[in-house]
Amino acid sequence: MDIRHKNGAVAELFVATQLAVRDFSIYWPLITQSRCDLVVEKDGSFAKVQIKKATWSKTGNYQYLQARVIGKNKLTNTPYQSKDVDVFIFTDLERIWIVPFEEIEGFTSVCLDSSNPTYKPRTKYDPRKWLLP
């Protein structure tokens, strides 16, 4: 199994578990490479979810927790559309960020955290407000 697929599967299972213990119902598409990873339901509201594993990368002296919204290869570089997904969920397998599609539509990636003590989230978005309590 390709390591990207393994990391993706682990992230999906982690998120599904965390949502299930918070009383969400979880539904998986039959086709594993569909545009949404799962569908969630709570209190009669449904959402198509795309889950992305966030990873740390180093720039200069600091590390940044990044999650790609659009992939780097031909199979995953097609931008998502509102018909594909309602919510992106990013995880570093410790924390979960839930992001409405409209807030990051057209983005290539998002920065969720940094080891830089002076780092401030971009003014266009603030990942702290996306954190699942």
Side-chain angles (χ1 to χ4, degrees):
M1 174 184 277
D2 184 306
I3 190 69
R4 290 178 310 233
H5 290 105
K6 183 184 270 186
N7 287 337
V10 169
E12 290 173 24
L13 291 170
F14 174 78
V15 168
T17 300
Q18 295 304 310
L19 294 177
V21 299
R22 290 169 172 84
D23 295 324
F24 283 83
S25 295
I26 313 297
Y27 304 91
W28 270 278
L30 183 60
I31 299 169
T32 59
Q33 295 300 315
S34 63
R35 295 296 279 171
C36 75
D37 291 318
L38 49 90
V39 174
V40 298
E41 181 272 332
K42 187 169 185 177
D43 301 327
S45 294
F46 289 82
K48 294 176 286 187
V49 176
Q50 179 57 233
I51 299 170
K52 298 293 184 184
K53 169 81 168 55
T55 57
W56 288 95
S57 60
K58 187 168 181 159
T59 303
N61 294 327
Y62 301 106
Q63 293 187 355
Y64 296 89
L65 184 62
Q66 302 275 341
R68 292 195 62 79
V69 178
I70 298 174
K72 292 182 179 181
N73 64 49
K74 289 182 181 181
L75 295 174
T76 61
N77 69 356
T78 303
Y80 290 96
Q81 299 176 23
S82 59
K83 67 179 182 167
D84 301 323
V85 62
D86 300 312
V87 175
F88 280 92
I89 296 182
F90 304 115
T91 184
D92 60 358
L93 302 181
E94 293 179 18
R95 298 168 289 178
I96 293 175
W97 294 263
I98 300 177
V99 187
F101 172 78
E102 302 81 34
E103 289 193 35
I104 58 170
E105 183 174 4
F107 283 30
T108 302
S109 65
V110 293
C111 183
L112 301 167
D113 200 357
S114 173
S115 65
N116 182 343
T118 62
Y119 172 77
K120 293 182 181 156
R122 292 177 40 163
T123 55
K124 194 165 187 173
Y125 65 86
D126 183 352
R128 296 172 298 193
K129 73 177 186 171
W130 299 334
L131 272 170
L132 182 66

mmCIF file of all heavy atoms in Angstrom, residues 45-90:
data_model
loop_
_atom_site.group_PDB
_atom_site.id
_atom_site.type_symbol
_atom_site.label_atom_id
_atom_site.label_comp_id
_atom_site.label_asym_id
_atom_site.label_seq_id
_atom_site.Cartn_x
_atom_site.Cartn_y
_atom_site.Cartn_z
ATOM 1 N N SER A 45 -28.819 16.872 9.994
ATOM 2 C CA SER A 45 -28.024 17.617 9.012
ATOM 3 C C SER A 45 -26.894 16.732 8.493
ATOM 4 O O SER A 45 -26.167 16.122 9.276
ATOM 5 C CB SER A 45 -27.432 18.876 9.635
ATOM 6 O OG SER A 45 -28.442 19.776 9.982
ATOM 7 N N PHE A 46 -26.755 16.678 7.173
ATOM 8 C CA PHE A 46 -25.733 15.871 6.517
ATOM 9 C C PHE A 46 -24.672 16.767 5.900
ATOM 10 O O PHE A 46 -24.967 17.883 5.460
ATOM 11 C CB PHE A 46 -26.355 15.019 5.403
ATOM 12 C CG PHE A 46 -27.209 13.903 5.903
ATOM 13 C CD1 PHE A 46 -28.533 14.139 6.273
ATOM 14 C CD2 PHE A 46 -26.717 12.614 6.000
ATOM 15 C CE1 PHE A 46 -29.335 13.110 6.734
ATOM 16 C CE2 PHE A 46 -27.510 11.577 6.463
ATOM 17 C CZ PHE A 46 -28.826 11.831 6.829
ATOM 18 N N ALA A 47 -23.426 16.261 5.831
ATOM 19 C CA ALA A 47 -22.342 16.994 5.180
ATOM 20 C C ALA A 47 -21.397 16.011 4.500
ATOM 21 O O ALA A 47 -21.033 14.985 5.078
ATOM 22 C CB ALA A 47 -21.577 17.834 6.196
ATOM 23 N N LYS A 48 -20.997 16.344 3.264
ATOM 24 C CA LYS A 48 -19.962 15.598 2.552
ATOM 25 C C LYS A 48 -18.610 16.113 3.047
ATOM 26 O O LYS A 48 -18.362 17.319 3.057
ATOM 27 C CB LYS A 48 -20.075 15.811 1.041
ATOM 28 C CG LYS A 48 -21.342 15.244 0.441
ATOM 29 C CD LYS A 48 -21.436 15.574 -1.033
ATOM 30 C CE LYS A 48 -21.782 17.044 -1.139
ATOM 31 N NZ LYS A 48 -22.074 17.514 -2.480
ATOM 32 N N VAL A 49 -17.739 15.195 3.445
ATOM 33 C CA VAL A 49 -16.487 15.558 4.109
ATOM 34 C C VAL A 49 -15.291 15.057 3.311
ATOM 35 O O VAL A 49 -15.258 13.905 2.882
ATOM 36 C CB VAL A 49 -16.441 14.951 5.532
ATOM 37 C CG1 VAL A 49 -15.110 15.235 6.203
ATOM 38 C CG2 VAL A 49 -17.603 15.455 6.371
ATOM 39 N N GLN A 50 -14.305 15.914 3.153
ATOM 40 C CA GLN A 50 -13.006 15.545 2.601
ATOM 41 C C GLN A 50 -11.998 15.687 3.740
ATOM 42 O O GLN A 50 -11.907 16.742 4.371
ATOM 43 C CB GLN A 50 -12.620 16.457 1.442
ATOM 44 C CG GLN A 50 -11.276 16.181 0.824
ATOM 45 C CD GLN A 50 -11.108 14.771 0.311
ATOM 46 O OE1 GLN A 50 -10.146 14.104 0.684
ATOM 47 N NE2 GLN A 50 -12.027 14.280 -0.500
ATOM 48 N N ILE A 51 -11.274 14.604 4.045
ATOM 49 C CA ILE A 51 -10.326 14.591 5.157
ATOM 50 C C ILE A 51 -8.910 14.677 4.610
ATOM 51 O O ILE A 51 -8.558 13.962 3.674
ATOM 52 C CB ILE A 51 -10.503 13.322 6.010
ATOM 53 C CG1 ILE A 51 -11.913 13.297 6.593
ATOM 54 C CG2 ILE A 51 -9.440 13.242 7.099
ATOM 55 C CD1 ILE A 51 -12.295 12.003 7.241
ATOM 56 N N LYS A 52 -8.115 15.551 5.211
ATOM 57 C CA LYS A 52 -6.726 15.719 4.806
ATOM 58 C C LYS A 52 -5.822 15.607 6.026
ATOM 59 O O LYS A 52 -6.078 16.204 7.060
ATOM 60 C CB LYS A 52 -6.505 17.095 4.151
ATOM 61 C CG LYS A 52 -7.306 17.323 2.889
ATOM 62 C CD LYS A 52 -6.838 16.420 1.782
ATOM 63 C CE LYS A 52 -7.575 16.705 0.484
ATOM 64 N NZ LYS A 52 -7.200 15.768 -0.567
ATOM 65 N N LYS A 53 -4.756 14.839 5.887
ATOM 66 C CA LYS A 53 -3.753 14.680 6.942
ATOM 67 C C LYS A 53 -2.784 15.851 6.876
ATOM 68 O O LYS A 53 -2.202 16.141 5.835
ATOM 69 C CB LYS A 53 -3.007 13.360 6.737
ATOM 70 C CG LYS A 53 -1.771 13.164 7.594
ATOM 71 C CD LYS A 53 -2.116 12.703 8.972
ATOM 72 C CE LYS A 53 -0.921 12.229 9.757
ATOM 73 N NZ LYS A 53 0.180 13.146 9.898
ATOM 74 N N ALA A 54 -2.642 16.557 7.968
ATOM 75 C CA ALA A 54 -1.700 17.678 8.057
ATOM 76 C C ALA A 54 -0.322 17.155 8.439
ATOM 77 O O ALA A 54 -0.206 16.225 9.239
ATOM 78 C CB ALA A 54 -2.194 18.689 9.087
ATOM 79 N N THR A 55 0.711 17.758 7.870
ATOM 80 C CA THR A 55 2.075 17.334 8.157
ATOM 81 C C THR A 55 2.945 18.557 8.440
ATOM 82 O O THR A 55 2.696 19.647 7.938
ATOM 83 C CB THR A 55 2.685 16.539 6.989
ATOM 84 O OG1 THR A 55 2.632 17.331 5.806
ATOM 85 C CG2 THR A 55 1.939 15.240 6.770
ATOM 86 N N TRP A 56 3.971 18.334 9.243
ATOM 87 C CA TRP A 56 4.913 19.397 9.584
ATOM 88 C C TRP A 56 5.969 19.509 8.498
ATOM 89 O O TRP A 56 6.473 18.498 8.006
ATOM 90 C CB TRP A 56 5.586 19.116 10.920
ATOM 91 C CG TRP A 56 4.677 19.287 12.088
ATOM 92 C CD1 TRP A 56 3.957 18.323 12.721
ATOM 93 C CD2 TRP A 56 4.374 20.514 12.751
ATOM 94 N NE1 TRP A 56 3.219 18.875 13.745
ATOM 95 C CE2 TRP A 56 3.454 20.215 13.781
ATOM 96 C CE3 TRP A 56 4.775 21.841 12.573
ATOM 97 C CZ2 TRP A 56 2.946 21.203 14.629
ATOM 98 C CZ3 TRP A 56 4.267 22.811 13.420
ATOM 99 C CH2 TRP A 56 3.364 22.489 14.441
ATOM 100 N N SER A 57 6.288 20.746 8.127
ATOM 101 C CA SER A 57 7.390 20.994 7.204
ATOM 102 C C SER A 57 8.247 22.111 7.791
ATOM 103 O O SER A 57 7.760 22.927 8.576
ATOM 104 C CB SER A 57 6.865 21.391 5.821
ATOM 105 O OG SER A 57 6.094 22.570 5.902
ATOM 106 N N LYS A 58 9.513 22.123 7.418
ATOM 107 C CA LYS A 58 10.433 23.098 7.996
ATOM 108 C C LYS A 58 10.758 24.171 6.955
ATOM 109 O O LYS A 58 11.048 23.868 5.806
ATOM 110 C CB LYS A 58 11.709 22.416 8.461
ATOM 111 C CG LYS A 58 12.620 23.334 9.221
ATOM 112 C CD LYS A 58 13.729 22.590 9.923
ATOM 113 C CE LYS A 58 14.565 23.626 10.666
ATOM 114 N NZ LYS A 58 15.329 23.086 11.716
ATOM 115 N N THR A 59 10.676 25.420 7.404
ATOM 116 C CA THR A 59 11.087 26.566 6.604
ATOM 117 C C THR A 59 11.979 27.424 7.493
ATOM 118 O O THR A 59 11.511 27.951 8.503
ATOM 119 C CB THR A 59 9.862 27.380 6.123
ATOM 120 O OG1 THR A 59 8.999 26.521 5.390
ATOM 121 C CG2 THR A 59 10.288 28.543 5.254
ATOM 122 N N GLY A 60 13.242 27.507 7.134
ATOM 123 C CA GLY A 60 14.177 28.251 7.987
ATOM 124 C C GLY A 60 14.319 27.568 9.333
ATOM 125 O O GLY A 60 14.524 26.360 9.415
ATOM 126 N N ASN A 61 14.172 28.341 10.402
ATOM 127 C CA ASN A 61 14.331 27.808 11.752
ATOM 128 C C ASN A 61 13.041 27.240 12.337
ATOM 129 O O ASN A 61 13.056 26.739 13.458
ATOM 130 C CB ASN A 61 14.845 28.905 12.690
ATOM 131 C CG ASN A 61 16.246 29.342 12.333
ATOM 132 O OD1 ASN A 61 17.051 28.546 11.863
ATOM 133 N ND2 ASN A 61 16.543 30.614 12.523
ATOM 134 N N TYR A 62 11.944 27.358 11.625
ATOM 135 C CA TYR A 62 10.646 27.007 12.201
ATOM 136 C C TYR A 62 9.931 25.930 11.396
ATOM 137 O O TYR A 62 10.194 25.729 10.218
ATOM 138 C CB TYR A 62 9.761 28.255 12.302
ATOM 139 C CG TYR A 62 10.398 29.324 13.149
ATOM 140 C CD1 TYR A 62 10.946 30.451 12.557
ATOM 141 C CD2 TYR A 62 10.485 29.186 14.528
ATOM 142 C CE1 TYR A 62 11.551 31.433 13.329
ATOM 143 C CE2 TYR A 62 11.096 30.158 15.306
ATOM 144 C CZ TYR A 62 11.627 31.273 14.700
ATOM 145 O OH TYR A 62 12.232 32.228 15.469
ATOM 146 N N GLN A 63 9.020 25.272 12.095
ATOM 147 C CA GLN A 63 8.184 24.260 11.453
ATOM 148 C C GLN A 63 6.762 24.808 11.322
ATOM 149 O O GLN A 63 6.309 25.596 12.154
ATOM 150 C CB GLN A 63 8.173 22.979 12.268
ATOM 151 C CG GLN A 63 9.509 22.288 12.283
ATOM 152 C CD GLN A 63 9.424 20.931 12.951
ATOM 153 O OE1 GLN A 63 8.399 20.544 13.489
ATOM 154 N NE2 GLN A 63 10.519 20.201 12.918
ATOM 155 N N TYR A 64 6.106 24.357 10.270
ATOM 156 C CA TYR A 64 4.736 24.778 9.997
ATOM 157 C C TYR A 64 3.893 23.548 9.707
ATOM 158 O O TYR A 64 4.320 22.663 8.959
ATOM 159 C CB TYR A 64 4.701 25.739 8.811
ATOM 160 C CG TYR A 64 5.448 27.016 9.098
ATOM 161 C CD1 TYR A 64 6.813 27.118 8.834
ATOM 162 C CD2 TYR A 64 4.805 28.107 9.675
ATOM 163 C CE1 TYR A 64 7.514 28.280 9.132
ATOM 164 C CE2 TYR A 64 5.495 29.264 9.978
ATOM 165 C CZ TYR A 64 6.848 29.351 9.701
ATOM 166 O OH TYR A 64 7.525 30.496 10.005
ATOM 167 N N LEU A 65 2.724 23.493 10.329
ATOM 168 C CA LEU A 65 1.800 22.386 10.099
ATOM 169 C C LEU A 65 0.918 22.756 8.912
ATOM 170 O O LEU A 65 0.105 23.671 8.993
ATOM 171 C CB LEU A 65 0.950 22.122 11.346
ATOM 172 C CG LEU A 65 0.007 20.931 11.259
ATOM 173 C CD1 LEU A 65 0.782 19.622 11.068
ATOM 174 C CD2 LEU A 65 -0.862 20.856 12.511
ATOM 175 N N GLN A 66 1.130 22.045 7.817
ATOM 176 C CA GLN A 66 0.448 22.343 6.561
ATOM 177 C C GLN A 66 -0.486 21.202 6.175
ATOM 178 O O GLN A 66 -0.196 20.037 6.450
ATOM 179 C CB GLN A 66 1.473 22.503 5.428
ATOM 180 C CG GLN A 66 2.506 23.564 5.652
ATOM 181 C CD GLN A 66 2.014 24.932 5.236
ATOM 182 O OE1 GLN A 66 1.059 25.063 4.485
ATOM 183 N NE2 GLN A 66 2.647 25.966 5.748
ATOM 184 N N ALA A 67 -1.562 21.572 5.516
ATOM 185 C CA ALA A 67 -2.447 20.569 4.920
ATOM 186 C C ALA A 67 -2.728 21.014 3.493
ATOM 187 O O ALA A 67 -3.110 22.161 3.257
ATOM 188 C CB ALA A 67 -3.747 20.446 5.702
ATOM 189 N N ARG A 68 -2.502 20.113 2.574
ATOM 190 C CA ARG A 68 -2.763 20.412 1.170
ATOM 191 C C ARG A 68 -4.248 20.233 0.880
ATOM 192 O O ARG A 68 -4.849 19.252 1.285
ATOM 193 C CB ARG A 68 -1.936 19.512 0.265
ATOM 194 C CG ARG A 68 -0.440 19.829 0.364
ATOM 195 C CD ARG A 68 0.364 19.237 -0.758
ATOM 196 N NE ARG A 68 0.000 19.715 -2.073
ATOM 197 C CZ ARG A 68 0.381 20.883 -2.598
ATOM 198 N NH1 ARG A 68 1.114 21.703 -1.904
ATOM 199 N NH2 ARG A 68 0.017 21.221 -3.812
ATOM 200 N N VAL A 69 -4.796 21.175 0.162
ATOM 201 C CA VAL A 69 -6.188 21.093 -0.266
ATOM 202 C C VAL A 69 -6.247 20.486 -1.660
ATOM 203 O O VAL A 69 -7.168 19.743 -1.997
ATOM 204 C CB VAL A 69 -6.856 22.482 -0.237
ATOM 205 C CG1 VAL A 69 -8.284 22.419 -0.731
ATOM 206 C CG2 VAL A 69 -6.793 23.057 1.174
ATOM 207 N N ILE A 70 -5.243 20.784 -2.463
ATOM 208 C CA ILE A 70 -5.122 20.228 -3.816
ATOM 209 C C ILE A 70 -3.824 19.439 -3.864
ATOM 210 O O ILE A 70 -2.781 19.927 -3.418
ATOM 211 C CB ILE A 70 -5.115 21.335 -4.881
ATOM 212 C CG1 ILE A 70 -6.428 22.109 -4.839
ATOM 213 C CG2 ILE A 70 -4.878 20.756 -6.270
ATOM 214 C CD1 ILE A 70 -6.466 23.307 -5.758
ATOM 215 N N GLY A 71 -3.879 18.239 -4.406
ATOM 216 C CA GLY A 71 -2.700 17.375 -4.452
ATOM 217 C C GLY A 71 -1.648 17.834 -5.437
ATOM 218 O O GLY A 71 -1.851 18.762 -6.219
ATOM 219 N N LYS A 72 -0.519 17.156 -5.405
ATOM 220 C CA LYS A 72 0.613 17.497 -6.263
ATOM 221 C C LYS A 72 0.658 16.662 -7.540
ATOM 222 O O LYS A 72 1.426 16.962 -8.433
ATOM 223 C CB LYS A 72 1.929 17.278 -5.500
ATOM 224 C CG LYS A 72 2.143 18.248 -4.369
ATOM 225 C CD LYS A 72 3.494 17.970 -3.734
ATOM 226 C CE LYS A 72 3.767 18.924 -2.612
ATOM 227 N NZ LYS A 72 5.064 18.707 -1.995
ATOM 228 N N ASN A 73 -0.123 15.597 -7.612
ATOM 229 C CA ASN A 73 -0.040 14.750 -8.798
ATOM 230 C C ASN A 73 -1.316 14.861 -9.635
ATOM 231 O O ASN A 73 -2.309 15.447 -9.220
ATOM 232 C CB ASN A 73 0.260 13.292 -8.421
ATOM 233 C CG ASN A 73 -0.855 12.672 -7.607
ATOM 234 O OD1 ASN A 73 -2.025 12.749 -7.963
ATOM 235 N ND2 ASN A 73 -0.500 12.047 -6.503
ATOM 236 N N LYS A 74 -1.281 14.297 -10.839
ATOM 237 C CA LYS A 74 -2.397 14.432 -11.781
ATOM 238 C C LYS A 74 -3.707 13.883 -11.240
ATOM 239 O O LYS A 74 -4.778 14.352 -11.591
ATOM 240 C CB LYS A 74 -2.056 13.745 -13.102
ATOM 241 C CG LYS A 74 -1.008 14.469 -13.899
ATOM 242 C CD LYS A 74 -0.755 13.760 -15.210
ATOM 243 C CE LYS A 74 0.320 14.489 -15.992
ATOM 244 N NZ LYS A 74 0.569 13.851 -17.281
ATOM 245 N N LEU A 75 -3.642 12.868 -10.384
ATOM 246 C CA LEU A 75 -4.864 12.255 -9.870
ATOM 247 C C LEU A 75 -5.553 13.111 -8.815
ATOM 248 O O LEU A 75 -6.756 13.025 -8.622
ATOM 249 C CB LEU A 75 -4.564 10.869 -9.291
ATOM 250 C CG LEU A 75 -4.086 9.825 -10.288
ATOM 251 C CD1 LEU A 75 -3.691 8.550 -9.561
ATOM 252 C CD2 LEU A 75 -5.144 9.544 -11.336
ATOM 253 N N THR A 76 -4.782 13.946 -8.108
ATOM 254 C CA THR A 76 -5.362 14.682 -6.976
ATOM 255 C C THR A 76 -5.278 16.198 -7.116
ATOM 256 O O THR A 76 -5.563 16.906 -6.179
ATOM 257 C CB THR A 76 -4.660 14.274 -5.667
ATOM 258 O OG1 THR A 76 -3.271 14.604 -5.772
ATOM 259 C CG2 THR A 76 -4.838 12.807 -5.366
ATOM 260 N N ASN A 77 -4.888 16.702 -8.311
ATOM 261 C CA ASN A 77 -4.713 18.148 -8.419
ATOM 262 C C ASN A 77 -5.931 18.868 -8.998
ATOM 263 O O ASN A 77 -5.857 20.054 -9.276
ATOM 264 C CB ASN A 77 -3.444 18.497 -9.190
ATOM 265 C CG ASN A 77 -3.535 18.142 -10.658
ATOM 266 O OD1 ASN A 77 -4.507 17.568 -11.109
ATOM 267 N ND2 ASN A 77 -2.504 18.485 -11.399
ATOM 268 N N THR A 78 -7.034 18.192 -9.174
ATOM 269 C CA THR A 78 -8.250 18.839 -9.633
ATOM 270 C C THR A 78 -8.894 19.554 -8.450
ATOM 271 O O THR A 78 -9.182 18.931 -7.435
ATOM 272 C CB THR A 78 -9.239 17.793 -10.203
ATOM 273 O OG1 THR A 78 -8.588 17.074 -11.246
ATOM 274 C CG2 THR A 78 -10.482 18.465 -10.742
ATOM 275 N N PRO A 79 -9.108 20.866 -8.572
ATOM 276 C CA PRO A 79 -9.702 21.596 -7.447
ATOM 277 C C PRO A 79 -11.081 21.048 -7.071
ATOM 278 O O PRO A 79 -11.858 20.640 -7.935
ATOM 279 C CB PRO A 79 -9.821 23.025 -7.979
ATOM 280 C CG PRO A 79 -8.822 23.109 -9.079
ATOM 281 C CD PRO A 79 -8.772 21.734 -9.686
ATOM 282 N N TYR A 80 -11.356 21.043 -5.785
ATOM 283 C CA TYR A 80 -12.667 20.628 -5.305
ATOM 284 C C TYR A 80 -13.683 21.717 -5.628
ATOM 285 O O TYR A 80 -13.345 22.899 -5.701
ATOM 286 C CB TYR A 80 -12.636 20.373 -3.799
ATOM 287 C CG TYR A 80 -11.850 19.145 -3.435
ATOM 288 C CD1 TYR A 80 -10.516 19.242 -3.060
ATOM 289 C CD2 TYR A 80 -12.431 17.888 -3.475
ATOM 290 C CE1 TYR A 80 -9.783 18.119 -2.730
ATOM 291 C CE2 TYR A 80 -11.713 16.751 -3.151
ATOM 292 C CZ TYR A 80 -10.385 16.880 -2.786
ATOM 293 O OH TYR A 80 -9.670 15.758 -2.474
ATOM 294 N N GLN A 81 -14.920 21.290 -5.809
ATOM 295 C CA GLN A 81 -16.019 22.213 -6.055
ATOM 296 C C GLN A 81 -17.067 22.006 -4.972
ATOM 297 O O GLN A 81 -17.075 20.976 -4.281
ATOM 298 C CB GLN A 81 -16.619 21.955 -7.428
ATOM 299 C CG GLN A 81 -15.635 22.149 -8.561
ATOM 300 C CD GLN A 81 -16.255 21.791 -9.904
ATOM 301 O OE1 GLN A 81 -17.467 21.809 -10.069
ATOM 302 N NE2 GLN A 81 -15.401 21.464 -10.864
ATOM 303 N N SER A 82 -17.974 22.957 -4.835
ATOM 304 C CA SER A 82 -18.997 22.861 -3.793
ATOM 305 C C SER A 82 -19.875 21.629 -3.967
ATOM 306 O O SER A 82 -20.410 21.112 -2.997
ATOM 307 C CB SER A 82 -19.844 24.126 -3.752
ATOM 308 O OG SER A 82 -20.478 24.330 -4.996
ATOM 309 N N LYS A 83 -20.002 21.112 -5.182
ATOM 310 C CA LYS A 83 -20.791 19.888 -5.393
ATOM 311 C C LYS A 83 -20.066 18.648 -4.862
ATOM 312 O O LYS A 83 -20.689 17.630 -4.599
ATOM 313 C CB LYS A 83 -21.128 19.698 -6.870
ATOM 314 C CG LYS A 83 -19.927 19.404 -7.731
ATOM 315 C CD LYS A 83 -20.294 19.187 -9.172
ATOM 316 C CE LYS A 83 -19.019 18.855 -9.949
ATOM 317 N NZ LYS A 83 -19.252 18.357 -11.247
ATOM 318 N N ASP A 84 -18.736 18.749 -4.687
ATOM 319 C CA ASP A 84 -17.930 17.615 -4.225
ATOM 320 C C ASP A 84 -17.910 17.479 -2.717
ATOM 321 O O ASP A 84 -17.880 16.370 -2.187
ATOM 322 C CB ASP A 84 -16.463 17.766 -4.682
ATOM 323 C CG ASP A 84 -16.307 17.845 -6.179
ATOM 324 O OD1 ASP A 84 -17.040 17.158 -6.899
ATOM 325 O OD2 ASP A 84 -15.426 18.618 -6.625
ATOM 326 N N VAL A 85 -17.839 18.611 -2.019
ATOM 327 C CA VAL A 85 -17.562 18.581 -0.584
ATOM 328 C C VAL A 85 -18.212 19.784 0.097
ATOM 329 O O VAL A 85 -18.265 20.875 -0.467
ATOM 330 C CB VAL A 85 -16.031 18.544 -0.342
ATOM 331 C CG1 VAL A 85 -15.343 19.762 -0.889
ATOM 332 C CG2 VAL A 85 -15.679 18.347 1.094
ATOM 333 N N ASP A 86 -18.726 19.551 1.291
ATOM 334 C CA ASP A 86 -19.290 20.628 2.100
ATOM 335 C C ASP A 86 -18.278 21.139 3.119
ATOM 336 O O ASP A 86 -18.256 22.324 3.443
ATOM 337 C CB ASP A 86 -20.535 20.140 2.861
ATOM 338 C CG ASP A 86 -21.623 19.652 1.927
ATOM 339 O OD1 ASP A 86 -21.943 20.364 0.955
ATOM 340 O OD2 ASP A 86 -22.153 18.539 2.163
ATOM 341 N N VAL A 87 -17.458 20.210 3.624
ATOM 342 C CA VAL A 87 -16.552 20.511 4.730
ATOM 343 C C VAL A 87 -15.223 19.789 4.505
ATOM 344 O O VAL A 87 -15.206 18.628 4.117
ATOM 345 C CB VAL A 87 -17.170 20.025 6.071
ATOM 346 C CG1 VAL A 87 -16.210 20.213 7.221
ATOM 347 C CG2 VAL A 87 -18.478 20.711 6.349
ATOM 348 N N PHE A 88 -14.131 20.511 4.753
ATOM 349 C CA PHE A 88 -12.827 19.871 4.848
ATOM 350 C C PHE A 88 -12.556 19.626 6.324
ATOM 351 O O PHE A 88 -12.856 20.465 7.170
ATOM 352 C CB PHE A 88 -11.710 20.777 4.306
ATOM 353 C CG PHE A 88 -11.598 20.766 2.815
ATOM 354 C CD1 PHE A 88 -12.278 21.696 2.053
ATOM 355 C CD2 PHE A 88 -10.807 19.823 2.183
ATOM 356 C CE1 PHE A 88 -12.177 21.697 0.680
ATOM 357 C CE2 PHE A 88 -10.699 19.809 0.804
ATOM 358 C CZ PHE A 88 -11.388 20.754 0.045
ATOM 359 N N ILE A 89 -11.979 18.475 6.618
ATOM 360 C CA ILE A 89 -11.515 18.211 7.974
ATOM 361 C C ILE A 89 -10.031 17.881 7.878
ATOM 362 O O ILE A 89 -9.622 16.989 7.138
ATOM 363 C CB ILE A 89 -12.289 17.062 8.646
ATOM 364 C CG1 ILE A 89 -13.759 17.450 8.823
ATOM 365 C CG2 ILE A 89 -11.646 16.719 9.988
ATOM 366 C CD1 ILE A 89 -14.608 16.423 9.527
ATOM 367 N N PHE A 90 -9.236 18.660 8.612
ATOM 368 C CA PHE A 90 -7.793 18.450 8.669
ATOM 369 C C PHE A 90 -7.457 17.853 10.029
ATOM 370 O O PHE A 90 -8.083 18.186 11.035
ATOM 371 C CB PHE A 90 -7.046 19.780 8.513
ATOM 372 C CG PHE A 90 -7.402 20.512 7.252
ATOM 373 C CD1 PHE A 90 -8.045 21.735 7.305
ATOM 374 C CD2 PHE A 90 -7.091 19.989 6.002
ATOM 375 C CE1 PHE A 90 -8.370 22.426 6.146
ATOM 376 C CE2 PHE A 90 -7.421 20.665 4.840
ATOM 377 C CZ PHE A 90 -8.062 21.891 4.912
#
